[in-house]
């Protein structure tokens, strides 16, 4: 299997899992069929569109290759019709989202490196590729985006992107090491959810009230 074929397969798998994540979130919000398909499409392809525009690949693969849109639409439709059989919908959404985060971060970083983007920029593009779909999904379903909350989400993607860049620099960017980087992102995200790991947030002090002084009476 060539590198380009492996990237295509990983990309389409990422599209499918993010489409399922977006469609599951839309089903949970009781959107209609079009709404479920649209949210699934945005969740699946939003990060990839940003990645392709950032590296100068125009038109983005989401528009230039029918397999991407078809994968997103078919997956979202399947989730719409089969959602009664999906037990514990929230858990399913979170697991699919973690898988999509891992796959899109890895493929986004590799594509940026292949486009001769410097390592730091490639890591940023890889992270944004991973979080872009989830960001669009949360905004469309009326949720505070996961990336803006305390959860370990963008941090996990950035750590995985750095691992991919280091492997590439060491000449170890074969299928097994890259798959290990994707597994690392997935495991960190899932463990962070289960153990409630969080990024620190600023502590706001309550405003001080002025002393009203002695009662004039």
């Amino acid at each position: 299997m060539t590198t380009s074929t492996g990237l295509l397969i990983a990309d389409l798998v990422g599209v499918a899992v993010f489409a399922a994540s977006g469609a599951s979130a839309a089903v949970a919000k009781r959107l209609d069929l079009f709404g479920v398909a649209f949210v699934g499409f945005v969740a699946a392809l939003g990060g990839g569109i940003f990645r392709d525009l950032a590296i100068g690949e125009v038109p983005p693969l989401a528009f230039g290759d029918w397999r991407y849109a078809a994968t997103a639409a078919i997956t979202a439709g399947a989730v719409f019709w089969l959602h009664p059989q999906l037990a514990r919908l929230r858990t399913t959404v979170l697991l699919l989202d973690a898988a999509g985060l891992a796959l899109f971060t890895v493929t986004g970083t590799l594509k940026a490196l292949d486009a001769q983007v410097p390592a730091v920029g490639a890591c940023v593009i890889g992270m944004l590729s991973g979080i872009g779909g989830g960001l669009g999904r949360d905004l469309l379903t009326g949720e505070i985006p996961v990336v803006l909350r305390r959860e370990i989400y963008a941090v996990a993607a950035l750590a995985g992107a750095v691992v991919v860049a280091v492997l590439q620099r060491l000449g170890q960017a074969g299928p097994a090491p890259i798959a290990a980087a994707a597994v690392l992102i997935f495991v960190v995200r899932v463990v962070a959810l289960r153990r409630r790991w969080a990024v620190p947030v600023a502590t706001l002090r309550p405003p001080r009230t002025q002393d009203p002084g002695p009662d004039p009476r």
Side-chain angles (χ1 to χ4, degrees):
M1 180 185 298
T2 64
T3 301
S4 59
T5 302
L7 282 176
L8 174 63
I9 293 174
D11 232 10
L12 292 177
V13 172
V15 167
V17 295
F18 255 144
S21 169
S24 297
V27 167
K29 292 291 185 176
R30 301 188 63 80
L31 301 188
D32 62 15
L33 176 58
F34 177 80
V36 171
F38 183 73
V39 174
F41 184 90
V42 171
L45 302 174
I49 291 171
F50 168 82
R51 174 200 66 207
D52 292 342
L53 292 176
I55 64 176
E57 188 169 335
V58 180
L61 284 174
F63 304 134
D65 189 331
W66 65 270
R67 291 171 291 188
Y68 285 79
T71 299
I74 291 171
T75 303
V79 170
F80 179 85
W81 295 110
L82 299 176
H83 73 87
Q85 286 73 41
L86 296 177
R88 301 178 65 185
L89 196 59
R90 176 171 172 76
T91 300
T92 301
V93 171
L94 292 174
L95 289 176
L96 290 172
D97 184 70
L101 178 70
L103 288 167
F104 266 26
T105 298
V106 168
T107 58
T109 307
L110 285 174
K111 285 196 171 185
L113 291 170
D114 288 345
Q116 305 304 313
V117 177
V120 174
C123 290
V124 174
I125 290 173
M127 178 190 70
L128 293 175
S129 298
I131 68 177
L135 181 64
R137 177 203 63 218
D138 292 342
L139 291 174
L140 288 173
T141 56
E143 298 287 340
I144 298 176
V146 173
V147 68
L148 301 181
R149 286 183 265 173
R150 298 179 61 189
E151 298 178 7
I152 303 294
Y153 191 77
V155 173
L158 183 59
V162 170
V163 170
V164 172
V166 171
L167 290 172
Q168 183 87 329
R169 178 63 62 89
L170 297 175
Q172 301 296 322
I178 294 303
V183 170
L184 171 66
I185 299 171
F186 179 81
V187 170
V188 169
R189 172 64 179 150
V190 172
V191 171
L193 284 170
R194 292 184 61 86
R195 296 186 176 275
R196 300 184 183 277
W197 291 346
V199 177
V201 297
T203 302
L204 300 179
R205 296 181 179 179
R208 297 178 61 183
T209 58
Q210 293 184 348
D211 187 354
D215 191 338
R217 294 177 298 175

